[in-house]
Amino acid sequence: MKRFSLIVFPLLILLLSAGIPSLMAQGGATGAVRGQVVDGSGAAVSGATVKISGVGVRRSLTTDESGSFTAPLLPPGDYHLTVSASSFETATSDVQVRVTETTRFSIALKLGAVTTQVSVRADVAAVETTNATTGHSITAATISRLPLSTQNFQQLLTFSGGVTAALNQNASLGRGDVRIDVNGQREDNNNYLIDGITATDYNVAELTNTPLPSPDAVQEFRVQTSMYDATQGRNGGGNINAVLNSGAAQIHADAFEFFRNDVLNANEYFLKQQGQPRPVVKQNIFGGSIGGPILSKARLGYFFANYQGTRQSSGLSNGTIIQTSLPVLPRDRSAQSIVNTFFPGQGVSASQIDPVALKLLNLKSNQFGSTPGGYLIPTVNGVPGTVGSFDVSRPGHYQDDQFTTNYDREFRGGSDKIAVRFFFTNFESDLPFGAGGLQASLGGTISRSDLNFPLDLPVHDRFLNLTETHIFSPEWVNEARFGYVRIENQSINVPIATVNDLGID
C-alpha cells in the first residue's frame, strides 16, 4: 500500500496540475465558454466579474491577469453573460454552447457609469478554432426542419465530411437504421454516446439496435471524425455525441403525428404483371413532449418527458416480398405425375422419387399465397415442366413505443447540479419472408429470390445516465457520470415446415 501511494498520488498531483481547465474545457456531452475582457484600447481587464446563467446553470467567474476566463463543462444550450468591472459600463452577451465545442469570443468594456449597460452578441464560429477536431454539429432546429422518413436523426450523420452511408429505403420497415463509415474505417470502429455515456452495441458495434430517442427529445448531436482528444476515447472511427433536452424556464408542450399511406402509390411493375395487388405501405409516427420548471422559480428543478409511438405496415420492405423463378408444377403432385412431368421417357419410376421431396411438394400451407390447392411450394402459371416467374408481397409489421424522461436540479446556490436521463423503448419487426440467414437479424439485405419463413425481431433498450457536477471554484469543476445501457435483441425464426412434417429422420 505504501508503494502504491508513492506511485499513484504523485501521478494524480501531476495530472491535476497539468492545466486541466485548458485541456478539459469540455467533455463528451458538454461544451465550454472561453473569453477575454478588454477595454476600449484593447488592454486586458483583470478582476472583472463574469456571470453566466442558463436553464439550471449559474456560474460566477473572475478574469485573470490577462483578462481571460473559462467556464468548462457547460451543458449545450443558450446562455446569458453579464460582465461588470469597477469604473466600466456593464456589458451583456448571449452565447450558444455546442456539445464538445469551446465557444470563444472577446468582450470590450467602455468607461462610464455603472448603471449603463451594453449588449454584445457572440455568435458561434462556423469553424472550431480552439482545437484541431474535425466534425459537424446539428441542432434541434435542423433536425425538426429536415424531412426524415422515419424520424431517425442518425440519418443526418452523413452531413459531416468523411462520413459515407448507403441511402435509406423509405419503404423499409423499422427505424431507418444507418450504417456509416468514417474516413474509410469499418462501421464497428465508431462510438455512439448519449449525454456522455457510451451507448454503442457492444455485440456488433453498429447503430442497428442502439437506443434511439425521438428527435423531439434530442437537443443536438455532433459527429467528430478525426483529431479528437482522449476525452472522447474508446474507438478510432467517428464519435457520435447526442445530447437530450432538459426542461425550459417555462412550461412547453407539443404533440405530433407523421402519416404515410399507400393510397396514391403506384403498383410495382412485376407485381402488376402477375395480377398482384398494390403492396401496403403505411406509417404512423405520433407522440408528444412536455417540459418546464417544477413549482415556481424551479424550486424543485426542471423536468422533460417525451413519448413516441410508431406503427408501420409495408409490403415493399426486405423480408416482405418475393420475386423469383420456380419450376411449374402440375396440379396433380403424385409421384407418377411428377415423373411424367419432369422425367418423361427417361425410364424413371415413381418409386424412385425421394419420399421427403414428395412430402415437401405436397405440404399444404398458405405461407406464400393461396395458390391452387394451397401448397407450400406454390403453383405458378405456365406449362408444367418449364420455369415460371413468381412474385408475391405480404405486409410486414413494425411497432415501437419509447419514453424519455429527464430531470435537472441545482443545489447550494448553483455549486452542485444533478442531471438524470432515462430512455425506454420496445420495438419489434415481423417479417413474413425474413428468415434468410444471419444477415436478416443484423438488418442487412434479405434475398428476394428465396422462399423464406417468417422472422420476428424484438428489441428492448434501456438507458440511464446520472450526472453530478460540483463547482469547487470558478476554475475547478468536477463532473461525475454513471451510465447503464441494456440492449436485448432476439432473432426468432417461425418454422412453417418441420422435420416431422417431412418425415426426416
Side-chain angles (χ1 to χ4, degrees):
M1 177 59 72
K2 182 177 181 181
R3 179 178 299 176
F4 175 82
S5 301
L6 290 176
I7 295 175
V8 174
F9 292 159
L11 179 60
L12 290 175
I13 294 174
L14 177 63
L15 291 175
L16 291 174
S17 62
I20 289 180
S22 62
L23 295 177
M24 304 288 286
Q26 72 279 328
T30 59
V33 171
R34 184 177 301 171
Q36 185 181 32
V37 180
V38 298
D39 59 18
S41 64
V45 178
S46 62
T49 300
V50 181
K51 294 183 178 181
I52 302 176
S53 61
V55 176
V57 176
R58 287 174 292 172
R59 301 266 184 97
S60 181
L61 305 95
T62 303
T63 59
D64 57 19
E65 293 80 4
S66 63
S68 300
F69 65 92
T70 300
L73 300 179
L74 290 173
D78 296 324
Y79 292 88
H80 182 74
L81 273 68
T82 302
V83 182
S84 59
S86 178
S87 303
F88 289 93
E89 299 176 356
T90 299
T92 62
S93 176
D94 292 324
V95 179
Q96 185 182 42
V97 175
R98 290 178 177 171
V99 60
T100 73
E101 293 188 6
T102 299
T103 302
R104 192 166 188 170
F105 65 100
S106 176
I107 296 180
L109 298 182
K110 297 180 180 180
L111 291 172
V114 179
T115 55
T116 305
Q117 180 172 308
V118 178
S119 296
V120 179
R121 179 178 176 84
D123 295 324
V124 178
V127 179
E128 174 65 69
T129 59
T130 59
N131 57 63
T133 305
T134 59
H136 186 73
S137 293
I138 298 179
T139 62
T142 303
I143 297 174
S144 63
R145 292 171 184 170
L146 291 176
L148 299 173
S149 59
T150 58
Q151 292 299 290
N152 182 349
F153 69 87
Q154 293 175 349
Q155 294 174 358
L156 305 178
L157 296 177
T158 51
F159 280 9
S160 299
V163 180
T164 59
L167 185 65
N168 182 260
Q169 300 180 18
N170 62 9
S172 293
L173 289 171
R175 309 185 305 177
D177 293 317
V178 296
R179 309 173 71 90
I180 66 170
D181 301 288
V182 177
N183 295 327
Q185 298 194 50
R186 296 179 61 175
E187 182 183 0
D188 54 12
N189 276 351
N190 301 320
N191 188 26
Y192 174 51
L193 302 98
I194 301 177
D195 274 288
I197 299 297
T198 296
T200 303
D201 187 339
Y202 289 104
N203 179 29
V204 292
E206 298 173 354
L207 296 175
T208 307
N209 295 319
T210 53
L212 181 64
S214 165
D216 261 26
V218 176
Q219 181 175 343
E220 69 172 274
F221 72 94
R222 176 175 171 83
V223 184
Q224 294 178 316
T225 54
S226 65
M227 302 301 288
Y228 38 81
D229 60 36
T231 63
Q232 308 308 305
R234 190 176 187 272
N235 287 14
N239 274 295
I240 305 162
N241 294 274
V243 179
L244 301 182
N245 275 326
S246 60
Q250 297 178 339
I251 292 289
H252 290 275
D254 67 75
F256 60 87
E257 179 176 7
F258 298 89
F259 173 77
R260 290 183 61 191
N261 198 283
D262 53 29
V263 174
L264 299 179
N265 292 348
N267 197 2
E268 192 180 69
Y269 174 79
F270 293 104
L271 292 177
K272 186 175 181 180
Q273 291 296 104
Q274 294 294 318
Q276 296 285 345
R278 176 175 50 196
V280 172
V281 179
K282 296 180 179 180
Q283 175 177 273
N284 287 82
I285 301 177
F286 51 89
S289 302
I290 185 171
I294 302 177
L295 301 181
S296 62
K297 298 182 180 180
R299 284 178 292 174
L300 294 182
Y302 301 87
F303 79 98
F304 175 84
N306 169 267
Y307 165 76
Q308 177 175 289
T310 302
R311 303 293 184 268
Q312 294 177 340
S313 297
S314 175
L316 286 177
S317 177
N318 289 329
T320 67
I321 186 170
I322 296 176
Q323 296 174 320
T324 188
S325 297
L326 296 175
V328 181
L329 294 168
R331 294 181 180 272
D332 178 9
R333 298 192 179 188
S334 64
Q336 188 60 53
S337 176
I338 296 298
V339 169
N340 295 338
T341 301
F342 293 99
F343 309 101
Q346 299 182 27
V348 178
S349 65
S351 61
Q352 291 179 272
I353 300 297
D354 185 275
V356 173
L358 189 61
K359 283 191 175 183
L360 180 60
L361 291 176
N362 285 276
L363 191 66
K364 295 298 185 71
S365 172
N366 290 327
Q367 164 68 6
F368 305 111
S370 56
T371 58
Y375 292 106
L376 177 64
I377 306 298
T379 297
V380 297
N381 295 326
V383 178
T386 63
V387 176
S389 60
F390 177 69
D391 298 271
V392 64
S393 171
R394 177 171 293 178
H397 302 282
Y398 171 85
Q399 67 176 26
D400 178 19
D401 290 288
Q402 62 168 252
F403 300 88
T404 302
T405 55
N406 302 332
Y407 175 73
D408 298 86
R409 186 180 179 184
E410 279 189 336
F411 296 89
R412 299 196 305 174
S415 60
D416 283 282
K417 177 185 175 182
I418 62 170
V420 182
R421 306 286 185 262
F422 179 69
F423 174 77
F424 169 103
T425 183
N426 289 336
F427 60 93
E428 184 173 4
S429 298
D430 295 313
L431 307 176
F433 314 132
L438 179 63
Q439 59 182 350
S441 63
L442 298 182
T445 301
I446 301 172
S447 173
R448 289 187 174 186
S449 62
D450 299 332
L451 300 181
N452 291 320
F453 290 164
L455 179 65
D456 185 21
L457 298 172
V459 181
H460 300 161
D461 286 350
R462 307 291 184 266
F463 173 86
L464 174 66
N465 177 10
L466 304 176
T467 301
E468 197 278 339
T469 304
H470 178 74
I471 302 175
F472 291 96
S473 71
E475 291 79 21
W476 292 92
V477 181
N478 180 73
E479 188 172 75
R481 295 180 183 270
F482 169 80
Y484 171 81
V485 179
R486 181 186 182 189
I487 301 175
E488 176 191 347
N489 63 294
Q490 300 181 58
S491 178
I492 304 173
N493 294 322
V494 182
I496 299 300
T498 67
V499 292
N500 293 330
D501 296 331
L502 301 178
I504 296 176
D505 185 3

